[in-house]
Amino acid sequence: MTDSKISIGIDSGSKFLKAANSGKITAKIEGFDFNALREESEIFLDDIITSCYIAVPDDYNKRQRDEIIKLAEGAGFDDINIINSYEALIYADTGNSLICDFGASKFSMSVIDDNEILDEEIIPDLSGNLVDKIFTEWLCARFNINLSDNTKAEHIKISLSSNESFTWRGVEILRADLERLIYFQVKRASHTAKKFYRIYRPAKIILTGGMSNIPLVRKIFSEELGFTPEINNDLIAKGAAVAASSEDDKIKSKIDTAQKFKELRGQILIIEELLTRSQKDKLYLLVKQAEGINDSGIIEIMQNLISEIKSPCE
């Protein structure tokens, strides 16, 4: 055992809480049991863990983030840092790639190159939670019952990812039943992936998140793209681990700038109907200039321009 400060990266955005250190998965726990996660990681690393970087879904609000911090504090972590999932993907250093993240709360595609997000798109109706909800409704209709939550559907979905069928209440549920429910959403997502691939020509495409384990998802994406994408379900945990040990201020600066750019794009959407034609033209010209390079100078100009436009309205 050493006296060095040991830190781990954690992916909290899925059914399984995952921890990683130096690119290796140290623990995988069902649910949000941070105590068990830390204990298993300390056994794996044979050392005391003092800090962590926890990657959470981008749409987590302050209350949800505070809850995660409270759970981590209760497990004995004394240095807790929260980052967004897309930031963990930047740290993961995947090179020039298109990452399709089938998260619990949303499905997102991110084109990343040199630790920068060049483009991204969110498809909300292919999230793990929504698929579980759709599957739950199907199960209720099929068995003429009322399920209080999506837990059973999620359990069956996970089983069907590696098995052709699942028997419940004496009735065989086929993988084909699940795939029929999500076919069009997956097909639409694959079309977006193909569009991104044609525009950016990434060196590789990576599928991550629980839904990427469903054979239909892999099949449709392979057919649409003409090759089989790489599967890496531990990408976010490993990216968070890199963030936990990174002293690279250059990467951190890029992430901060990318976050500001993302926030500014959201502000533009809110005030869009208040803009004059010339203001719109000026703003969107700046957006196009900043996209893909996340230049801090251009982003500062955008920030000032948005402030000028909003001031008379406030």
Side-chain angles (χ1 to χ4, degrees):
M1 187 176 291
T2 68
D3 294 327
S4 60
K5 179 178 178 180
I6 299 294
S7 185
I8 59 173
I10 300 172
D11 173 14
S12 69
S14 63
K15 178 181 176 64
F16 292 97
L17 197 63
K18 297 178 183 177
N21 177 272
S22 300
K24 294 181 179 179
I25 295 297
T26 61
K28 182 177 177 183
I29 304 292
E30 187 170 353
F32 286 90
D33 191 341
F34 278 84
N35 283 289
L37 187 81
R38 182 180 180 183
E39 288 172 6
E40 287 208 8
S41 293
E42 288 183 338
I43 291 170
F44 183 92
L45 297 168
D46 189 27
D47 212 329
I48 302 299
I49 297 171
T50 60
S51 65
C52 62
Y53 269 64
I54 306 175
V56 301
D58 309 349
D59 57 357
Y60 263 31
N61 57 35
K62 186 178 184 304
R63 179 185 59 79
Q64 291 170 305
R65 291 166 191 257
D66 287 344
E67 286 177 358
I68 292 291
I69 291 173
K70 190 174 181 179
L71 289 170
E73 286 175 340
F77 290 100
D78 58 17
D79 180 14
I80 303 162
N81 304 274
I82 300 292
I83 62 174
N84 291 313
S85 295
Y86 77 87
E87 294 174 309
L89 291 177
I90 292 174
Y91 272 108
D93 192 22
T94 56
N96 175 230
S97 59
L98 168 60
I99 300 176
C100 302
D101 180 14
F102 295 87
S105 60
K106 68 177 183 179
F107 168 71
S108 63
M109 293 185 187
S110 304
V111 182
I112 297 179
D113 189 25
D114 189 27
N115 302 116
E116 291 187 14
I117 295 180
L118 305 185
D119 203 349
E120 64 179 343
E121 186 160 334
I122 295 171
I123 301 177
D125 60 353
L126 196 55
S127 70
N129 291 339
L130 188 56
V131 168
D132 292 343
K133 181 176 181 294
I134 293 170
F135 198 26
T136 295
E137 292 171 354
W138 182 86
L139 289 172
C140 289
R142 172 77 181 273
F143 290 93
N144 193 26
I145 56 174
N146 182 34
L147 296 173
S148 58
D149 57 40
N150 302 329
T151 304
K152 191 62 189 180
E154 183 181 32
H155 174 69
I156 297 173
K157 178 188 75 177
I158 292 171
S159 178
L160 290 176
S161 296
S162 54
N163 299 285
E164 292 287 345
S165 65
F166 182 91
T167 301
W168 185 48
R169 297 190 171 207
V171 176
E172 189 178 43
I173 301 169
L174 302 177
R175 179 192 289 164
D177 295 325
L178 170 63
E179 293 181 339
R180 201 162 41 245
L181 293 172
I182 64 173
Y183 178 84
F184 289 108
Q185 291 97 319
V186 175
K187 194 74 174 174
R188 187 162 66 254
S190 71
H191 287 165
T192 304
K194 187 175 183 179
K195 178 188 74 174
F196 273 32
Y197 180 73
R198 283 176 171 172
I199 295 172
Y200 295 98
R201 292 294 173 182
K204 56 185 172 182
I205 295 182
I206 303 173
L207 305 187
T208 187
M211 290 281 290
S212 63
N213 294 317
I214 298 176
L216 176 73
V217 174
R218 302 182 185 191
K219 179 176 182 290
I220 289 179
F221 270 71
S222 297
E223 290 175 348
E224 194 70 37
L225 297 167
F227 60 89
T228 303
E230 178 183 328
I231 308 295
N232 189 337
N233 285 320
D234 300 325
L235 201 58
I236 290 176
K238 291 178 179 178
V242 175
S245 59
S246 177
E247 298 298 330
D248 192 339
D249 291 335
K250 183 180 178 183
I251 294 179
K252 290 180 180 177
S253 174
K254 285 181 178 180
I255 289 177
D256 289 342
T257 306
Q259 174 66 17
K260 287 178 185 176
F261 182 50
K262 191 173 184 179
E263 290 171 356
L264 286 173
R265 285 194 297 185
Q267 290 179 33
I268 292 172
L269 292 175
I270 293 171
I271 65 170
E272 190 172 23
E273 60 184 30
L274 303 175
L275 303 178
T276 64
R277 170 52 58 188
S278 61
Q279 288 172 331
K280 280 186 180 180
D281 290 345
K282 189 172 182 180
L283 263 183
Y284 284 102
L285 177 61
L286 289 169
V287 169
K288 284 300 175 188
Q289 286 178 319
E291 272 181 346
I293 58 173
N294 290 331
D295 182 271
S296 57
I298 295 176
I299 287 172
E300 186 177 354
I301 295 172
M302 287 173 61
Q303 208 163 12
N304 293 336
L305 183 55
I306 290 173
S307 296
E308 290 174 14
I309 294 168
K310 291 174 71 176
S311 294
C313 307
E314 293 175 341

